Amino acid sequence: MSVTRTLRETDRRLTRQAASRIPPGFGKVLSAVEESAESSKLWCGAALLMAACGGWRGRKAATAGLTALAVAQFAANGLCKQLADRPRPPKEWIPHDEAEDRPDSSSFPSGHTAAAVAFTAAVAPSLPLAGALCAVPAALVAVERVQSGAHYPTDVVTGAAVGLGSAWAARNAPRLARRLWLT
């Protein structure tokens, strides 16, 4: 069996399991967290709180988080989704009504996950406690994207990788730019 075929079968199996095995009450919690993260509201609110209450470290973390989030959104939604025209998981795999409320855009990668991971990973080095607190809704967003039928697990994993890369770029771009400027 080829790697692509194995990934496709694993995606199918995990998507169906996530959509059918998560209890309805927890599904509502996941939906509420995802809704708060929609359009980056949750992450902007967290950045505002960090900047207002965290002193210079809070402002540094907020700036890094929002920069990483913007880079991740551009990479995931502006580039990757345009290049990979992957359809969303079939609605018949999702035994609840959330499959009716999902975007028409490409499934690959998960922009929600990319943004959540980017913000969290960029904030954590400056404010470890804030990073740990942000990791909880970030993980819930990733689970929700599969549970709701909006994404395959590989979309979410790739979104997380885009987020980590974006956080690295946001945190290291100033240092790299100085190096290039001085040489």
Short mmCIF file of all heavy atoms in Angstrom, two decimals, residues 19-86:
data_model
loop_
_atom_site.label_atom_id
_atom_site.label_comp_id
_atom_site.label_asym_id
_atom_site.label_seq_id
_atom_site.Cartn_x
_atom_site.Cartn_y
_atom_site.Cartn_z
N ALA A 19 -15.91 12.51 14.25
CA ALA A 19 -17.25 13.07 14.05
C ALA A 19 -18.32 12.28 14.80
O ALA A 19 -19.34 12.84 15.20
CB ALA A 19 -17.58 13.10 12.57
N SER A 20 -18.10 11.00 15.03
CA SER A 20 -19.15 10.18 15.64
C SER A 20 -18.93 9.85 17.11
O SER A 20 -19.87 9.48 17.81
CB SER A 20 -19.32 8.88 14.85
OG SER A 20 -18.14 8.10 14.93
N ARG A 21 -17.71 9.99 17.61
CA ARG A 21 -17.42 9.54 18.98
C ARG A 21 -17.32 10.66 20.00
O ARG A 21 -17.27 10.39 21.19
CB ARG A 21 -16.14 8.73 19.00
CG ARG A 21 -16.31 7.41 18.29
CD ARG A 21 -15.15 6.51 18.53
NE ARG A 21 -15.37 5.25 17.84
CZ ARG A 21 -14.45 4.36 17.64
NH1 ARG A 21 -13.22 4.58 18.06
NH2 ARG A 21 -14.72 3.24 17.01
N ILE A 22 -17.26 11.88 19.57
CA ILE A 22 -17.18 12.98 20.53
C ILE A 22 -18.57 13.24 21.08
O ILE A 22 -19.52 13.44 20.31
CB ILE A 22 -16.56 14.23 19.88
CG1 ILE A 22 -15.08 13.93 19.59
CG2 ILE A 22 -16.74 15.46 20.76
CD1 ILE A 22 -14.30 15.05 19.00
N PRO A 23 -18.73 13.21 22.40
CA PRO A 23 -20.06 13.42 22.99
C PRO A 23 -20.64 14.78 22.61
O PRO A 23 -19.90 15.76 22.48
CB PRO A 23 -19.80 13.36 24.50
CG PRO A 23 -18.47 12.70 24.65
CD PRO A 23 -17.69 12.99 23.41
N PRO A 24 -21.95 14.87 22.42
CA PRO A 24 -22.59 16.12 22.00
C PRO A 24 -22.26 17.31 22.91
O PRO A 24 -22.04 18.42 22.42
CB PRO A 24 -24.08 15.80 22.02
CG PRO A 24 -24.15 14.32 21.91
CD PRO A 24 -22.91 13.78 22.55
N GLY A 25 -22.21 17.09 24.21
CA GLY A 25 -21.89 18.19 25.12
C GLY A 25 -20.51 18.75 24.87
O GLY A 25 -20.31 19.97 24.85
N PHE A 26 -19.53 17.87 24.67
CA PHE A 26 -18.17 18.31 24.38
C PHE A 26 -18.11 18.94 22.99
O PHE A 26 -17.36 19.89 22.77
CB PHE A 26 -17.19 17.16 24.51
CG PHE A 26 -15.75 17.57 24.41
CD1 PHE A 26 -15.20 18.48 25.30
CD2 PHE A 26 -14.93 17.05 23.42
CE1 PHE A 26 -13.88 18.87 25.21
CE2 PHE A 26 -13.60 17.43 23.32
CZ PHE A 26 -13.07 18.34 24.22
N GLY A 27 -18.92 18.43 22.07
CA GLY A 27 -19.00 19.02 20.73
C GLY A 27 -19.45 20.47 20.79
O GLY A 27 -18.96 21.32 20.05
N LYS A 28 -20.38 20.77 21.72
CA LYS A 28 -20.83 22.17 21.88
C LYS A 28 -19.72 23.05 22.43
O LYS A 28 -19.58 24.20 22.04
CB LYS A 28 -22.06 22.22 22.77
CG LYS A 28 -23.29 21.66 22.09
CD LYS A 28 -24.51 21.74 22.95
CE LYS A 28 -25.66 21.08 22.18
NZ LYS A 28 -26.92 21.23 22.84
N VAL A 29 -18.91 22.51 23.35
CA VAL A 29 -17.77 23.25 23.87
C VAL A 29 -16.78 23.53 22.74
O VAL A 29 -16.28 24.67 22.59
CB VAL A 29 -17.08 22.48 25.02
CG1 VAL A 29 -15.75 23.12 25.41
CG2 VAL A 29 -18.00 22.38 26.22
N LEU A 30 -16.50 22.51 21.94
CA LEU A 30 -15.59 22.70 20.81
C LEU A 30 -16.10 23.77 19.85
O LEU A 30 -15.34 24.63 19.40
CB LEU A 30 -15.41 21.37 20.06
CG LEU A 30 -14.66 20.26 20.78
CD1 LEU A 30 -14.70 18.97 19.94
CD2 LEU A 30 -13.24 20.66 21.08
N SER A 31 -17.39 23.73 19.56
CA SER A 31 -17.98 24.72 18.66
C SER A 31 -17.88 26.13 19.23
O SER A 31 -17.61 27.09 18.50
CB SER A 31 -19.44 24.39 18.37
OG SER A 31 -19.53 23.20 17.64
N ALA A 32 -18.09 26.26 20.53
CA ALA A 32 -17.99 27.58 21.17
C ALA A 32 -16.56 28.12 21.10
O ALA A 32 -16.35 29.32 20.82
CB ALA A 32 -18.47 27.50 22.61
N VAL A 33 -15.59 27.26 21.33
CA VAL A 33 -14.19 27.69 21.25
C VAL A 33 -13.86 28.08 19.81
O VAL A 33 -13.23 29.11 19.56
CB VAL A 33 -13.24 26.60 21.78
CG1 VAL A 33 -11.79 26.96 21.51
CG2 VAL A 33 -13.46 26.38 23.27
N GLU A 34 -14.27 27.26 18.86
CA GLU A 34 -14.00 27.56 17.45
C GLU A 34 -14.65 28.88 17.05
O GLU A 34 -14.05 29.69 16.35
CB GLU A 34 -14.50 26.42 16.55
CG GLU A 34 -14.14 26.58 15.09
CD GLU A 34 -15.08 27.47 14.30
OE1 GLU A 34 -16.27 27.53 14.63
OE2 GLU A 34 -14.61 28.12 13.34
N GLU A 35 -15.86 29.12 17.51
CA GLU A 35 -16.55 30.37 17.19
C GLU A 35 -15.80 31.57 17.76
O GLU A 35 -15.70 32.61 17.12
CB GLU A 35 -17.99 30.34 17.72
CG GLU A 35 -18.79 31.57 17.41
CD GLU A 35 -18.94 31.87 15.92
OE1 GLU A 35 -19.04 30.93 15.12
OE2 GLU A 35 -18.96 33.07 15.56
N SER A 36 -15.26 31.42 18.97
CA SER A 36 -14.50 32.53 19.56
C SER A 36 -13.19 32.76 18.82
O SER A 36 -12.68 33.88 18.79
CB SER A 36 -14.24 32.29 21.05
OG SER A 36 -13.29 31.28 21.23
N ALA A 37 -12.65 31.73 18.20
CA ALA A 37 -11.41 31.86 17.44
C ALA A 37 -11.67 32.31 16.01
O ALA A 37 -10.72 32.73 15.32
CB ALA A 37 -10.65 30.54 17.44
N GLU A 38 -12.91 32.26 15.55
CA GLU A 38 -13.27 32.67 14.20
C GLU A 38 -12.82 34.12 13.97
O GLU A 38 -12.98 34.97 14.84
CB GLU A 38 -14.79 32.55 14.00
CG GLU A 38 -15.27 32.83 12.60
CD GLU A 38 -14.88 31.74 11.62
OE1 GLU A 38 -14.85 30.57 12.01
OE2 GLU A 38 -14.62 32.07 10.47
N SER A 39 -12.24 34.38 12.83
CA SER A 39 -11.71 35.71 12.49
C SER A 39 -10.68 36.19 13.50
O SER A 39 -10.49 37.39 13.69
CB SER A 39 -12.85 36.73 12.36
OG SER A 39 -13.78 36.32 11.39
N SER A 40 -10.05 35.27 14.18
CA SER A 40 -8.96 35.54 15.13
C SER A 40 -9.38 36.38 16.33
O SER A 40 -8.54 36.98 17.00
CB SER A 40 -7.79 36.20 14.41
OG SER A 40 -7.34 35.38 13.36
N LYS A 41 -10.68 36.41 16.65
CA LYS A 41 -11.15 37.20 17.80
C LYS A 41 -10.48 36.78 19.10
O LYS A 41 -10.05 37.63 19.88
CB LYS A 41 -12.68 37.08 17.95
CG LYS A 41 -13.48 37.64 16.81
CD LYS A 41 -14.97 37.46 17.05
CE LYS A 41 -15.34 36.02 17.03
NZ LYS A 41 -16.39 35.61 16.15
N LEU A 42 -10.41 35.48 19.35
CA LEU A 42 -9.82 34.98 20.59
C LEU A 42 -8.36 35.40 20.72
O LEU A 42 -7.92 35.86 21.78
CB LEU A 42 -9.94 33.45 20.65
CG LEU A 42 -9.31 32.75 21.84
CD1 LEU A 42 -10.00 33.17 23.14
CD2 LEU A 42 -9.42 31.24 21.67
N TRP A 43 -7.61 35.27 19.65
CA TRP A 43 -6.17 35.56 19.68
C TRP A 43 -5.94 37.07 19.78
O TRP A 43 -5.01 37.48 20.50
CB TRP A 43 -5.48 34.95 18.46
CG TRP A 43 -5.95 33.55 18.25
CD1 TRP A 43 -6.59 33.05 17.15
CD2 TRP A 43 -5.88 32.45 19.18
NE1 TRP A 43 -6.91 31.72 17.34
CE2 TRP A 43 -6.49 31.34 18.58
CE3 TRP A 43 -5.37 32.31 20.47
CZ2 TRP A 43 -6.59 30.10 19.21
CZ3 TRP A 43 -5.48 31.08 21.10
CH2 TRP A 43 -6.08 29.99 20.46
N CYS A 44 -6.76 37.87 19.14
CA CYS A 44 -6.63 39.33 19.27
C CYS A 44 -6.97 39.77 20.69
O CYS A 44 -6.30 40.64 21.25
CB CYS A 44 -7.53 40.04 18.25
SG CYS A 44 -6.94 39.88 16.55
N GLY A 45 -7.97 39.16 21.28
CA GLY A 45 -8.33 39.47 22.66
C GLY A 45 -7.21 39.08 23.62
O GLY A 45 -6.88 39.83 24.55
N ALA A 46 -6.61 37.92 23.39
CA ALA A 46 -5.49 37.49 24.23
C ALA A 46 -4.31 38.44 24.08
O ALA A 46 -3.66 38.80 25.07
CB ALA A 46 -5.08 36.06 23.87
N ALA A 47 -4.03 38.88 22.85
CA ALA A 47 -2.93 39.81 22.61
C ALA A 47 -3.19 41.14 23.31
O ALA A 47 -2.27 41.72 23.91
CB ALA A 47 -2.73 40.03 21.11
N LEU A 48 -4.41 41.61 23.27
CA LEU A 48 -4.77 42.86 23.94
C LEU A 48 -4.55 42.74 25.45
O LEU A 48 -3.97 43.64 26.08
CB LEU A 48 -6.22 43.22 23.63
CG LEU A 48 -6.72 44.56 24.15
CD1 LEU A 48 -5.95 45.70 23.50
CD2 LEU A 48 -8.20 44.70 23.87
N LEU A 49 -4.97 41.64 26.02
CA LEU A 49 -4.78 41.40 27.44
C LEU A 49 -3.29 41.33 27.80
O LEU A 49 -2.86 41.92 28.80
CB LEU A 49 -5.50 40.11 27.84
CG LEU A 49 -5.55 39.77 29.32
CD1 LEU A 49 -6.34 40.83 30.08
CD2 LEU A 49 -6.20 38.41 29.52
N MET A 50 -2.51 40.63 26.99
CA MET A 50 -1.07 40.54 27.24
C MET A 50 -0.41 41.91 27.16
O MET A 50 0.42 42.26 28.01
CB MET A 50 -0.41 39.61 26.22
CG MET A 50 -0.68 38.15 26.43
SD MET A 50 0.09 37.23 25.08
CE MET A 50 -1.20 36.06 24.76
N ALA A 51 -0.76 42.68 26.14
CA ALA A 51 -0.16 43.99 25.96
C ALA A 51 -0.55 44.94 27.10
O ALA A 51 0.28 45.73 27.56
CB ALA A 51 -0.58 44.58 24.62
N ALA A 52 -1.79 44.84 27.57
CA ALA A 52 -2.27 45.74 28.61
C ALA A 52 -1.74 45.37 29.99
O ALA A 52 -1.48 46.26 30.81
CB ALA A 52 -3.80 45.74 28.63
N CYS A 53 -1.57 44.10 30.26
CA CYS A 53 -1.24 43.66 31.62
C CYS A 53 0.15 43.06 31.77
O CYS A 53 0.58 42.80 32.89
CB CYS A 53 -2.27 42.61 32.09
SG CYS A 53 -3.95 43.21 32.08
N GLY A 54 0.85 42.83 30.68
CA GLY A 54 2.10 42.08 30.76
C GLY A 54 3.37 42.89 30.66
O GLY A 54 4.45 42.31 30.51
N GLY A 55 3.27 44.22 30.71
CA GLY A 55 4.49 45.03 30.60
C GLY A 55 5.15 44.86 29.25
O GLY A 55 4.51 44.50 28.27
N TRP A 56 6.47 45.11 29.21
CA TRP A 56 7.17 45.02 27.93
C TRP A 56 7.19 43.60 27.40
O TRP A 56 7.13 43.39 26.19
CB TRP A 56 8.58 45.60 28.03
CG TRP A 56 9.54 44.77 28.83
CD1 TRP A 56 9.81 44.87 30.15
CD2 TRP A 56 10.36 43.70 28.33
NE1 TRP A 56 10.74 43.92 30.52
CE2 TRP A 56 11.10 43.19 29.42
CE3 TRP A 56 10.54 43.13 27.08
CZ2 TRP A 56 11.99 42.13 29.30
CZ3 TRP A 56 11.43 42.08 26.95
CH2 TRP A 56 12.15 41.59 28.05
N ARG A 57 7.26 42.60 28.30
CA ARG A 57 7.22 41.20 27.83
C ARG A 57 5.86 40.88 27.23
O ARG A 57 5.77 40.13 26.25
CB ARG A 57 7.54 40.26 28.99
CG ARG A 57 9.02 40.28 29.35
CD ARG A 57 9.35 39.40 30.52
NE ARG A 57 8.94 38.03 30.29
CZ ARG A 57 8.74 37.15 31.26
NH1 ARG A 57 8.92 37.48 32.52
NH2 ARG A 57 8.37 35.92 30.97
N GLY A 58 4.80 41.41 27.82
CA GLY A 58 3.46 41.20 27.28
C GLY A 58 3.30 41.83 25.91
O GLY A 58 2.70 41.24 25.01
N ARG A 59 3.84 43.05 25.75
CA ARG A 59 3.76 43.70 24.44
C ARG A 59 4.59 42.96 23.40
O ARG A 59 4.17 42.80 22.26
CB ARG A 59 4.20 45.17 24.56
CG ARG A 59 3.19 46.01 25.34
CD ARG A 59 3.53 47.49 25.35
NE ARG A 59 4.76 47.81 26.05
CZ ARG A 59 4.87 47.93 27.37
NH1 ARG A 59 3.81 47.76 28.13
NH2 ARG A 59 6.03 48.23 27.92
N LYS A 60 5.75 42.47 23.82
CA LYS A 60 6.60 41.68 22.91
C LYS A 60 5.88 40.40 22.50
O LYS A 60 5.86 40.03 21.31
CB LYS A 60 7.92 41.36 23.61
CG LYS A 60 8.88 40.53 22.77
CD LYS A 60 10.16 40.24 23.53
CE LYS A 60 11.07 39.36 22.70
NZ LYS A 60 12.31 39.04 23.41
N ALA A 61 5.27 39.72 23.47
CA ALA A 61 4.55 38.48 23.17
C ALA A 61 3.35 38.75 22.26
O ALA A 61 3.12 38.01 21.29
CB ALA A 61 4.09 37.81 24.47
N ALA A 62 2.61 39.81 22.55
CA ALA A 62 1.44 40.14 21.74
C ALA A 62 1.84 40.45 20.30
O ALA A 62 1.20 39.99 19.34
CB ALA A 62 0.68 41.31 22.36
N THR A 63 2.90 41.22 20.15
CA THR A 63 3.38 41.57 18.80
C THR A 63 3.83 40.33 18.04
O THR A 63 3.48 40.13 16.88
CB THR A 63 4.53 42.59 18.90
OG1 THR A 63 4.05 43.76 19.57
CG2 THR A 63 5.05 42.97 17.53
N ALA A 64 4.60 39.48 18.72
CA ALA A 64 5.07 38.24 18.07
C ALA A 64 3.88 37.35 17.72
O ALA A 64 3.83 36.78 16.62
CB ALA A 64 6.04 37.50 18.99
N GLY A 65 2.92 37.23 18.63
CA GLY A 65 1.75 36.39 18.38
C GLY A 65 0.92 36.86 17.20
O GLY A 65 0.55 36.06 16.33
N LEU A 66 0.65 38.16 17.15
CA LEU A 66 -0.17 38.68 16.06
C LEU A 66 0.58 38.65 14.73
O LEU A 66 -0.02 38.40 13.67
CB LEU A 66 -0.65 40.09 16.38
CG LEU A 66 -1.66 40.18 17.52
CD1 LEU A 66 -2.00 41.63 17.83
CD2 LEU A 66 -2.93 39.38 17.20
N THR A 67 1.88 38.87 14.77
CA THR A 67 2.68 38.78 13.54
C THR A 67 2.68 37.34 13.02
O THR A 67 2.46 37.11 11.82
CB THR A 67 4.13 39.26 13.80
OG1 THR A 67 4.09 40.60 14.27
CG2 THR A 67 4.97 39.17 12.54
N ALA A 68 2.90 36.39 13.91
CA ALA A 68 2.89 34.98 13.51
C ALA A 68 1.53 34.57 12.97
O ALA A 68 1.43 33.85 11.98
CB ALA A 68 3.29 34.10 14.69
N LEU A 69 0.48 35.06 13.62
CA LEU A 69 -0.88 34.75 13.17
C LEU A 69 -1.10 35.27 11.74
O LEU A 69 -1.64 34.56 10.89
CB LEU A 69 -1.89 35.40 14.13
CG LEU A 69 -3.35 35.10 13.87
CD1 LEU A 69 -4.08 34.98 15.19
CD2 LEU A 69 -3.98 36.20 13.05
N ALA A 70 -0.67 36.50 11.47
CA ALA A 70 -0.84 37.07 10.13
C ALA A 70 -0.05 36.27 9.09
O ALA A 70 -0.56 36.00 7.99
CB ALA A 70 -0.39 38.54 10.13
N VAL A 71 1.17 35.90 9.43
CA VAL A 71 1.98 35.10 8.50
C VAL A 71 1.30 33.75 8.25
O VAL A 71 1.21 33.29 7.10
CB VAL A 71 3.41 34.91 9.05
CG1 VAL A 71 4.21 33.90 8.22
CG2 VAL A 71 4.14 36.25 9.10
N ALA A 72 0.80 33.13 9.30
CA ALA A 72 0.14 31.82 9.16
C ALA A 72 -1.12 31.93 8.31
O ALA A 72 -1.38 31.06 7.46
CB ALA A 72 -0.20 31.25 10.53
N GLN A 73 -1.92 32.97 8.54
CA GLN A 73 -3.14 33.15 7.75
C GLN A 73 -2.79 33.33 6.27
O GLN A 73 -3.45 32.75 5.40
CB GLN A 73 -3.93 34.36 8.26
CG GLN A 73 -4.57 34.13 9.60
CD GLN A 73 -5.79 33.22 9.52
OE1 GLN A 73 -6.06 32.53 8.54
NE2 GLN A 73 -6.54 33.21 10.58
N PHE A 74 -1.78 34.14 6.00
CA PHE A 74 -1.36 34.34 4.61
C PHE A 74 -0.87 33.04 3.99
O PHE A 74 -1.25 32.67 2.88
CB PHE A 74 -0.28 35.42 4.50
CG PHE A 74 0.25 35.58 3.11
CD1 PHE A 74 -0.52 36.20 2.14
CD2 PHE A 74 1.49 35.08 2.76
CE1 PHE A 74 -0.05 36.32 0.84
CE2 PHE A 74 1.97 35.19 1.47
CZ PHE A 74 1.20 35.83 0.50
N ALA A 75 -0.01 32.32 4.72
CA ALA A 75 0.55 31.07 4.19
C ALA A 75 -0.54 30.02 3.97
O ALA A 75 -0.60 29.39 2.91
CB ALA A 75 1.63 30.53 5.12
N ALA A 76 -1.40 29.83 4.97
CA ALA A 76 -2.42 28.77 4.88
C ALA A 76 -3.54 29.14 3.91
O ALA A 76 -3.86 28.36 3.02
CB ALA A 76 -3.01 28.48 6.26
N ASN A 77 -4.12 30.32 4.11
CA ASN A 77 -5.30 30.70 3.33
C ASN A 77 -4.95 31.39 2.02
O ASN A 77 -5.64 31.21 1.02
CB ASN A 77 -6.22 31.59 4.16
CG ASN A 77 -6.74 30.88 5.38
OD1 ASN A 77 -6.97 29.68 5.36
ND2 ASN A 77 -6.91 31.60 6.47
N GLY A 78 -3.90 32.19 2.01
CA GLY A 78 -3.53 32.93 0.81
C GLY A 78 -2.73 32.12 -0.19
O GLY A 78 -2.84 32.33 -1.39
N LEU A 79 -1.92 31.20 0.31
CA LEU A 79 -1.07 30.41 -0.60
C LEU A 79 -1.51 28.95 -0.71
O LEU A 79 -1.90 28.49 -1.78
CB LEU A 79 0.39 30.47 -0.14
CG LEU A 79 1.08 31.82 -0.20
CD1 LEU A 79 2.49 31.72 0.37
CD2 LEU A 79 1.12 32.33 -1.63
N CYS A 80 -1.43 28.22 0.40
CA CYS A 80 -1.64 26.77 0.36
C CYS A 80 -3.03 26.38 -0.13
O CYS A 80 -3.16 25.47 -0.95
CB CYS A 80 -1.38 26.16 1.74
SG CYS A 80 0.33 26.30 2.28
N LYS A 81 -4.07 27.02 0.38
CA LYS A 81 -5.43 26.67 -0.05
C LYS A 81 -5.63 26.93 -1.54
O LYS A 81 -6.40 26.24 -2.19
CB LYS A 81 -6.47 27.43 0.77
CG LYS A 81 -6.68 26.85 2.15
CD LYS A 81 -7.84 27.53 2.83
CE LYS A 81 -7.99 27.09 4.26
NZ LYS A 81 -8.57 25.79 4.42
N GLN A 82 -4.92 27.93 -2.08
CA GLN A 82 -5.04 28.23 -3.50
C GLN A 82 -4.33 27.18 -4.35
O GLN A 82 -4.76 26.90 -5.47
CB GLN A 82 -4.45 29.62 -3.79
CG GLN A 82 -5.05 30.73 -2.95
CD GLN A 82 -6.56 30.76 -2.96
OE1 GLN A 82 -7.19 30.68 -4.01
NE2 GLN A 82 -7.16 30.86 -1.79
N LEU A 83 -3.27 26.61 -3.81
CA LEU A 83 -2.50 25.60 -4.55
C LEU A 83 -3.09 24.20 -4.43
O LEU A 83 -2.99 23.40 -5.36
CB LEU A 83 -1.05 25.60 -4.06
CG LEU A 83 -0.27 26.90 -4.29
CD1 LEU A 83 1.09 26.82 -3.60
CD2 LEU A 83 -0.12 27.18 -5.77
N ALA A 84 -3.66 23.89 -3.28
CA ALA A 84 -4.20 22.55 -3.02
C ALA A 84 -5.72 22.63 -2.97
O ALA A 84 -6.29 23.01 -1.96
CB ALA A 84 -3.65 22.00 -1.70
N ASP A 85 -6.35 22.31 -4.03
CA ASP A 85 -7.81 22.39 -4.10
C ASP A 85 -8.41 21.08 -3.60
O ASP A 85 -8.93 20.29 -4.38
CB ASP A 85 -8.24 22.69 -5.53
CG ASP A 85 -9.71 23.03 -5.62
OD1 ASP A 85 -10.29 23.45 -4.60
OD2 ASP A 85 -10.29 22.86 -6.71
N ARG A 86 -8.33 20.86 -2.30
CA ARG A 86 -8.82 19.62 -1.72
C ARG A 86 -10.24 19.81 -1.20
O ARG A 86 -10.51 20.72 -0.42
CB ARG A 86 -7.91 19.21 -0.55
CG ARG A 86 -8.29 17.88 0.06
CD ARG A 86 -7.38 17.55 1.22
NE ARG A 86 -7.49 16.15 1.56
CZ ARG A 86 -6.90 15.59 2.59
NH1 ARG A 86 -6.15 16.31 3.40
NH2 ARG A 86 -7.04 14.32 2.84
#
